Amino acid sequence: MSANLSASFYLISGILFILALRGLSSPETSRQGNYFGIAGMAISIIVTFLSIGNFGPGFIYVLIFLLVGGSIGAFIAFRIPMTAMPELVAGFHSLVGLAAVFVAISAFLKPDAFNLGYVGNIKLASLIEMSLGAAIGAITFSGSVIAFLKLKGIMSGAPITFKGQHILNLILGLIILFLIYYLCSSQSSNIFWSLIIISFFVGVLLIIPIGGADMPVVISMLNSYSGWAAAGIGFTLENTALIITGALVGSSGAILSYIMCKGMNRSFFNVILGGWGATEQATGDERKEQKPVKNGNADDAAFLMKNASSVIIVPGYGMAVAQAQHALREMVDALKKNGVKVSYAIHPVAGRMPGHMNVLLAEANVPYDEVFELEEINNDFANCDVAYVIGANDVTNPVAKSDPQSPIYGMPVLDVEKSKSVLFVKRSLSPGYAGIDNDLFYRDNTLMLFADAKKMTEEIVKNL
Amino acid sequence: MEIDPFIFRLSIFILSIFVGYYVVWSVTPSLHTPLMSVTNAISSVIIVGAIIAALAGSTESVFETSSIFGFMAIILAAVNIFGGFLVTQRMLQMYKKKKK
């Protein structure tokens, strides 16, 4: 196949990928969008085979490896529980990163196969592109592995910080740039290997200081990195599909990181430089546990909700941990039978990744038109009889609106306290991730339900 | 003077960033998780590079150092492609409207 023809097909793949993302603008068109994506991928792979035109023994091996990887991927995709989606995405990012590193290594070892020049005399531009691709790929890989371990709970979600951390990162970043510069003049393979190793190291250092609840930002950021790595390799290979895709994924991840940061009213650098909960602990300790709380049980909760005309459910990460989404749906079904109007309110940073709560509710068969974003529903709390907070904490804290001293001041929060009564399902009075007390616990209209989210919800269902 | 082809690729890249910017802002927040899994799947189009690398071995031997890296990259990218698209599909199947 001629180079011009294959380039045109790669462009078509790129357009299909754009349509795949476009489809996600509404759930109805999203499934069709996914098929566009699959078609784009199939075209890219087939065109690559045709343009190489080598159907010898190597081709058979490529097919075998493709099938092996594909079967592993399919197996994971069908078996993974929806609650494990954040870990899965982090794991997948690490694979893209590592694949980018491998392709870059291969191009460095055998540049003639990619038309990039010869060993020891690789074109300057290609060398810069491939070393950038390799460095970003390596950072994506090791960073995603750490994110995966933290999300999976193998590694503690607490931020790991030490003195001089930021300076060390800065120095390593400068070393990477210096190595790329030196690589271009020397073409030395030792420099290339050191570049990759240092980049792996930087990936680890970047992610360890970031705490559990900041994971939505981290996952989005790594998503973005995997895109830039792909684009770097795309420039090396002069491949349009890869360049377009890299740019799409890179900007997608960047936008998601921005949305997540805005949801916490923090700057991107503030999140990346780590440790929010760790540094602000002192503020929470001053005024502790003197105020009385109202303690309720499932019976009270069932009574309140049965007699309400409208209920808003506020889910958070605790719902995911307790796997309470199915019980929650049953509760809502029972309430609807009693003629209660029920809707769900989702804060942008609820959960461990963008859209985490929406997927879990969809899994429990909650229709997506009953689920609302913060801006859409926040005014409705004032006219609502009961707000049922399950597994959320900081995102409901009214302090964010009233106390300029508070570390979360200015963060957009759900106006839960405006509803006539608040049912707050929580295991104890302990503060949330931000390390500050939630004022909501001590309000007159709040009834605390101390229990596991799933058990409490099941109890309520029995009492309805 | 002739224009370096690199400039054309850079133009495609920059325009694609703009396209990505507008397309991604129009994605509904409730589909942000599928957005991440699908972007992950499509970024695995890096498999194109992996295939070229894997098939670059000499005629005597399919497995050289450079092609072995290619084959490993094929496995990684294939896990992502199949895993990414299928898990996205699985998620999207769950998004249903209210039954009237």
Side-chain angles (χ1 to χ4, degrees):
Chain A
M1 190 184 269
S2 82
N4 286 337
L5 190 59
S6 51
S8 318
F9 276 112
Y10 285 133
L11 179 62
I12 293 174
S13 294
I15 293 168
L16 286 168
F17 290 150
I18 295 173
L19 293 175
L21 299 193
R22 179 78 188 112
L24 290 171
S25 55
S26 97
E28 282 108 83
T29 54
S30 62
R31 284 171 281 258
Q32 191 196 18
N34 202 36
Y35 293 127
F36 281 134
I38 295 172
M41 188 59 75
I43 292 175
S44 280
I45 294 177
I46 292 167
V47 167
T48 308
F49 283 136
L50 291 178
S51 59
I52 298 175
N54 166 6
F55 294 99
F59 175 67
I60 307 293
Y61 283 114
V62 169
L63 285 188
I64 292 172
F65 282 86
L66 198 61
L67 279 178
V68 170
S71 325
I72 300 172
F75 180 77
I76 298 172
F78 286 121
R79 293 294 299 275
I80 192 92
M82 283 300 146
T83 37
M85 209 46 76
E87 303 80 296
L88 179 77
V89 169
F92 277 172
H93 287 155
S94 74
L95 300 185
V96 181
L98 196 58
V101 174
F102 284 168
V103 173
I105 291 176
S106 187
F108 185 77
L109 293 176
K110 201 153 189 177
D112 42 322
F114 296 86
N115 290 325
L116 307 175
Y118 298 92
V119 179
N121 187 21
I122 300 174
K123 280 190 275 181
L124 181 64
S126 310
L127 208 51
I128 298 175
E129 290 153 7
M130 77 172 77
S131 43
L132 279 176
I136 303 172
I139 293 174
T140 312
F141 170 72
S142 54
S144 302
V145 169
I146 300 294
F148 174 83
L149 294 176
K150 283 194 170 193
L151 287 164
K152 188 106 183 133
I154 298 173
M155 207 174 136
S156 152
I160 301 172
T161 46
F162 53 88
K163 229 178 162 203
Q165 194 163 23
H166 306 323
I167 297 170
L168 181 64
N169 286 343
L170 184 70
I171 292 173
L172 288 176
L174 290 174
I175 291 180
I176 288 181
L177 290 180
F178 174 74
L179 285 179
I180 292 177
Y181 172 77
Y182 194 57
L183 177 68
C184 291
S185 55
S186 70
Q187 304 252 353
S188 146
S189 57
N190 286 337
I191 302 289
F192 188 69
W193 298 118
S194 335
L195 174 69
I196 292 175
I197 290 166
I198 293 180
S199 304
F200 279 135
F201 204 56
V202 170
V204 174
L205 286 175
L206 270 181
I207 308 303
I208 52 167
I210 303 177
D214 284 336
M215 277 301 155
V217 181
V218 171
I219 299 192
S220 319
M221 183 184 82
L222 291 168
N223 185 236
S224 180
Y225 285 0
S226 70
W228 305 130
I233 302 296
F235 274 102
T236 319
L237 305 182
E238 312 187 341
N239 183 302
T240 328
L242 206 40
I243 294 176
I244 295 178
T245 315
L248 288 179
V249 177
S251 50
S252 163
I255 291 172
L256 289 177
S257 323
Y258 170 78
I259 296 175
M260 293 303 116
C261 287
K262 223 180 86 198
M264 296 191 285
N265 188 39
R266 298 172 67 193
S267 76
F268 184 69
F269 285 102
N270 182 306
V271 176
I272 296 310
L273 297 180
W276 177 11
T279 49
E280 303 290 350
Q281 204 72 50
T283 357
D285 293 336
E286 290 165 18
R287 38 182 176 141
K288 224 175 184 173
E289 326 265 328
Q290 290 133 354
K291 290 167 272 181
V293 283
K294 277 201 262 177
N295 199 339
N297 59 29
D299 207 14
D300 307 329
F303 177 80
L304 262 174
M305 286 199 274
K306 206 158 41 177
N307 294 305
S309 66
S310 67
V311 170
I312 297 179
I313 312 245
V314 182
Y317 182 59
M319 180 190 82
V321 175
Q323 306 248 16
Q325 65 271 32
H326 297 283
L328 188 64
R329 217 279 326 280
E330 276 174 43
M331 185 186 92
V332 171
D333 283 350
L335 287 174
K336 280 188 195 158
K337 264 192 210 133
N338 282 304
V340 182
K341 184 179 165 284
V342 186
S343 35
Y344 299 79
I346 313 271
H347 191 276
V349 292
R352 285 293 184 263
M353 74 184 290
H356 192 181
M357 292 299 121
N358 303 78
V359 173
L360 294 182
L361 292 177
E363 188 201 9
N365 282 321
V366 172
Y368 62 81
D369 41 8
E370 288 176 7
V371 182
F372 299 93
E373 302 302 317
L374 180 126
E375 303 88 44
E376 294 172 315
I377 200 166
N378 226 2
N379 292 330
D380 297 357
F381 280 107
N383 309 315
C384 131
D385 296 311
V386 179
Y388 186 72
V389 184
I390 173 167
N393 187 359
D394 292 333
V395 298
T396 62
N397 196 342
V399 158
K401 289 175 283 190
S402 55
D403 179 9
Q405 302 302 316
S406 167
I408 61 168
Y409 181 71
M411 173 170 124
V413 287
L414 290 158
D415 297 334
V416 174
E417 79 282 0
K418 289 190 184 151
S419 51
K420 287 201 192 76
S421 38
V422 179
L423 295 170
F424 210 111
V425 187
K426 206 171 177 309
R427 264 180 287 194
S428 68
L429 273 180
S430 62
Y433 173 68
I436 49 166
D437 225 10
N438 193 340
D439 205 26
L440 200 57
F441 299 163
Y442 314 105
R443 300 267 171 134
D444 282 340
N445 59 345
T446 304
L447 194 62
M448 296 300 293
L449 306 169
F450 293 112
D452 173 76
K454 188 177 175 189
K455 286 206 191 93
M456 176 52 74
T457 310
E458 281 166 351
E459 283 286 300
I460 296 175
V461 176
K462 276 185 215 146
N463 283 299
L464 277 170
Chain B
M1 218 176 86
E2 224 177 304
I3 300 171
D4 190 327
F6 173 77
I7 299 299
F8 287 118
R9 286 191 283 276
L10 191 65
S11 320
I12 294 174
F13 179 64
I14 291 171
L15 288 176
S16 303
I17 292 178
F18 276 89
V19 172
Y21 180 85
Y22 289 107
V23 169
V24 171
W25 272 117
S26 75
V27 171
T28 163
S30 67
L31 291 176
H32 276 163
T33 298
L35 171 68
M36 302 202 80
S37 61
V38 86
T39 49
N40 182 72
I42 64 173
S43 59
S44 305
V45 74
I46 200 155
I47 198 167
V48 167
I51 293 172
I52 299 175
L55 291 179
S58 60
T59 37
E60 302 92 65
S61 155
V62 175
F63 295 102
E64 291 178 351
T65 323
S66 71
S67 58
I68 288 171
F69 277 108
F71 280 115
M72 291 196 292
I74 288 179
I75 294 190
L76 298 177
V79 171
N80 256 317
I81 293 173
F82 283 75
F85 280 124
L86 288 171
V87 87
T88 309
Q89 193 67 15
R90 216 182 115 198
M91 275 190 269
L92 294 177
Q93 297 297 0
M94 300 184 314
Y95 282 80
K96 291 189 197 85
K97 251 196 161 145
K98 209 180 319 188
K99 282 185 221 91
K100 291 276 156 73

